[in-house]
Amino acid sequence: VSVGSGMQVLGMSIVTLVFALLGFLSPAHRGGLLQSMMLLFTFMGVLAGYTMSRFYKLFNGDDWKTATLMLAFFYPGIMFVVFFILNLLIWGQKSSGAVPFTTMFALLVLWFGISVPLAFLGSYLGFRKEAVELPVRTNPVPRQIPAQPWFVKPAFSCMVGGVLPFGAVFTELFFIMSSLWQHQFY
């Protein structure tokens, strides 16, 4: 499900960037980029369903309808609920930046009327194909994993990996705060 949704976002991003590079999406047209991204995300449901079904079949999944429903509703559902709650808070403040009800309804129509059927179409097309044959076989006898040295343990790796970012942030903040406290602006 996550791989399919990721492919949907990746496909939307790539096509949007290509259209922007070719000059089809101008920054002068307000909302054109966002509108094209929404439509492309909707239409990339075919790619999401196809990718999800190919991976699901590779790992010997058998309940493709449930997997497709999860693909069509899980991540888009989370995003819609968060967006709707934030929009309700904006409506409560009587802001002009709130998304109108008709636009919210149009988003639901795009989601349920176009994206969900396209996800099912992509899933159907992916399940009709043969499963991907892996070029290697898995050894049935598990291999012994040798004991790791002390410096490969997670606690030590986390401490060492955190020293460099901490040092950089500490140094920057030291100079910024000392310039503020000593009234020396640069």
Side-chain angles (χ1 to χ4, degrees), residues 7-165:
M7 284 300 294
Q8 191 172 10
V9 171
L10 180 69
M12 173 204 64
S13 302
I14 289 173
V15 173
T16 302
L17 285 174
V18 168
F19 281 174
L21 285 173
L22 294 176
F24 293 124
L25 298 173
S26 172
H29 184 268
R30 284 185 44 118
L33 183 66
L34 183 62
Q35 184 180 8
S36 66
M37 287 175 66
M38 290 296 298
L39 286 174
L40 284 171
F41 183 81
T42 302
F43 292 132
M44 289 294 164
V46 174
L47 180 64
Y50 183 80
T51 306
M52 183 272 314
S53 64
R54 297 291 287 161
F55 272 96
Y56 195 69
K57 199 168 185 180
L58 171 69
F59 294 118
N60 298 324
D62 55 354
D63 194 12
W64 69 274
K65 291 178 184 173
T66 304
T68 306
L69 282 173
M70 288 289 291
L71 170 76
F73 294 116
F74 185 65
Y75 288 115
I78 290 173
M79 292 300 123
F80 184 79
V81 165
V82 167
F83 178 70
F84 186 73
I85 289 172
L86 289 175
N87 200 42
L88 280 179
L89 294 174
I90 294 173
W91 275 339
Q93 294 296 321
K94 307 271 191 275
S95 172
S96 63
V99 177
F101 177 75
T102 55
T103 306
M104 294 292 275
F105 184 72
L107 284 176
L108 282 174
V109 168
L110 278 174
W111 183 18
F112 288 108
I114 298 173
S115 184
V116 172
L118 287 179
F120 269 95
L121 175 68
S123 183
Y124 172 73
L125 294 174
F127 271 108
R128 280 190 20 198
K129 288 194 166 253
E130 291 294 320
V132 177
E133 292 293 328
L134 298 176
V136 295
R137 64 176 181 81
T138 306
N139 193 358
V141 179
R143 188 171 67 95
Q144 289 291 341
I145 299 175
Q148 300 295 317
W150 62 274
F151 55 84
V152 183
K153 301 270 192 255
F156 182 75
S157 297
C158 289
M159 286 189 291
V160 169
V163 167
L164 183 66

